[in-house]
Amino acid sequence: MIHKKAIPSGYESKLSTHFLQMMAMLFFGSPALIPAYAPLDAAQSEIFGRYGGTFTEVFGIRTHYFEYGDPASKEVVLFVHGYGGTGMEAASIAPSLTAAGYRILAPDWPGAGLSQSPDDYSMQFLMEWMEGFRAVMGLDRFTLAGHSFGGYISTKYSVDYPQRVERLILIDPAGFREELGSFFLGVAQSDFLVNLGAALYTPWVHSLINAMNTFKDPARAPKDIMDYAAVSMGTSEGRKGLIAISRRIVAEAPDLDCLESITVPTLLFWAVQDKVLPYEWSTKFLESIPAETLFHSVNDCGHAPHLEKPQETAGAIISFLKP
């Protein structure tokens, strides 16, 4: 199920914000008590009109997310996408999971998709934003699923907030600096290359990169999901987020030092033909995670099993959640 919420833009947005702030000062003494979304620019407004979703606010950050399934369901899967991705990726496995009774929440990271990019980006900020999103959504305990660098984030969150996570699903996760490769890290650590990449970015470039790296068979790439990521990253806010995430998250992320602290049942996916995070790293993850861990190897597949092999991935997830 996709919900749409209109966001005012331009002059009307400024008038509405000023009016709400004046009313807040009159009745409450502080304008901070009324959340004020930053207006979407024209490009983002057009994208929102095309792909939908819902907006909320988390610690002052306009956060865009997708929701699938029955909002009343207590069986919740929170999906965290990876670097260069968006929450819309959850749409690929949503039909199977919602049919099994699960509700899926899939936010765009701050600076990804249509979510606002913060001025000061850090891994600590991401952890706080994750917990804030959890609170805004009114979740108590849930299953956490993370893909690629979203797996890195999900692992850290599950260790920092073990009382919130019932089960953990890692899909071709990042976790070790060496796993990222010297070329990718070198690019992420270079201000010049990151800024150049953001300046030259086009949806065509995004499609080319995914065809070369993410999918074993580019014909399996879900068009709407890939188009949403491509066009949203090409906006001014998307370019800002790309720079911040590259420099402050990817380039600065150390080896995960908390894998051995995972205490919840874990399902680990890894695609045999993954070119981004090679399959052999699955061994190191399995050796490092002490919790009850199941491993699902995905053959004939690239870096994103949930996108390239959605039925197989969803089936394994349901079997894990409902053994």
Side-chain angles (χ1 to χ4, degrees):
M1 180 183 296
I2 296 179
H3 307 282
K4 291 188 178 182
K5 182 186 296 181
I7 300 293
S9 60
Y11 186 63
E12 293 81 9
S13 174
K14 294 180 181 179
L15 286 178
S16 299
T17 298
H18 291 163
F19 177 78
L20 289 173
Q21 289 177 340
M22 286 190 293
M23 292 300 98
M25 291 180 70
L26 286 173
F27 289 100
F28 303 108
S30 171
L33 295 176
I34 298 294
Y37 294 109
L40 292 172
D41 62 28
Q44 288 180 311
S45 295
E46 191 276 331
I47 294 167
F48 176 62
R50 194 189 320 169
Y51 294 100
T54 304
F55 287 95
T56 189
E57 185 170 288
V58 180
F59 295 135
I61 298 297
R62 184 189 64 233
T63 297
H64 179 258
Y65 67 96
F66 294 91
E67 180 173 6
Y68 307 94
D70 183 356
S73 175
K74 301 300 182 182
E75 301 289 337
V76 178
V77 176
L78 177 58
F79 177 85
V80 185
H81 66 83
Y83 175 78
T86 72
M88 193 180 181
E89 292 177 20
S92 60
I93 55 176
S96 297
L97 293 182
T98 56
Y102 291 94
R103 173 193 181 196
I104 304 175
L105 290 168
D108 295 335
W109 285 17
L114 293 179
S115 289
Q116 187 179 5
S117 184
D119 293 328
D120 185 17
Y121 221 126
S122 68
M123 185 58 70
Q124 180 60 36
F125 162 78
L126 270 180
M127 291 297 100
E128 294 171 356
W129 170 80
M130 282 274 292
E131 174 60 6
F133 182 79
R134 190 277 313 164
V136 168
M137 293 294 103
L139 305 180
D140 182 19
R141 287 174 60 79
F142 52 90
T143 293
L144 184 58
H147 170 241
S148 193
F149 221 91
Y152 187 111
I153 294 168
S154 297
T155 299
K156 285 187 65 66
Y157 181 88
S158 70
V159 172
D160 289 352
Y161 300 92
Q163 73 278 18
R164 299 299 181 192
V165 180
E166 289 183 327
R167 293 176 182 266
L168 178 65
I169 300 168
L170 301 176
I171 306 173
D172 293 50
F176 301 100
R177 285 183 68 78
E178 190 179 351
E179 180 189 4
L180 300 176
S182 58
F183 175 79
F184 184 65
L185 278 175
V187 171
Q189 291 169 346
S190 168
D191 287 339
F192 172 77
L193 291 177
V194 169
N195 292 336
L196 179 64
L200 298 178
Y201 176 85
T202 65
W204 179 84
V205 170
H206 183 88
S207 299
L208 178 64
I209 291 173
N210 278 289
M212 293 175 61
N213 295 290
T214 304
F215 296 93
K216 181 178 183 294
D217 181 359
R220 297 177 188 152
K223 187 177 186 305
D224 283 352
I225 292 173
M226 305 315 295
D227 286 351
Y228 171 66
V231 296
S232 59
M233 196 181 296
T235 65
S236 57
E237 193 71 13
R239 293 172 195 267
K240 176 185 175 183
L242 177 63
I243 292 171
I245 292 168
S246 298
R247 293 293 294 119
R248 297 303 310 280
I249 302 300
V250 176
E252 297 181 3
D255 287 342
L256 271 173
D257 59 0
C258 60
L259 284 169
E260 69 280 358
S261 299
I262 295 175
T263 58
V264 298
T266 303
L267 170 62
L268 176 66
F269 286 92
W270 221 295
V272 176
Q273 290 82 20
D274 191 335
K275 296 179 182 178
V276 180
L277 301 176
Y279 182 78
E280 53 264 28
W281 284 95
S282 61
T283 301
K284 189 165 184 178
F285 267 83
L286 289 170
E287 291 173 349
S288 303
I289 301 175
E292 177 187 346
T293 304
L294 297 178
F295 179 56
H296 189 94
S297 176
V298 186
N299 197 19
D300 187 34
C301 184
H303 180 55
H306 60 299
L307 298 179
E308 195 165 0
K309 293 289 190 76
Q311 291 184 330
E312 178 179 342
T313 303
I317 289 174
I318 293 170
S319 296
F320 172 64
L321 298 179
K322 293 183 175 180

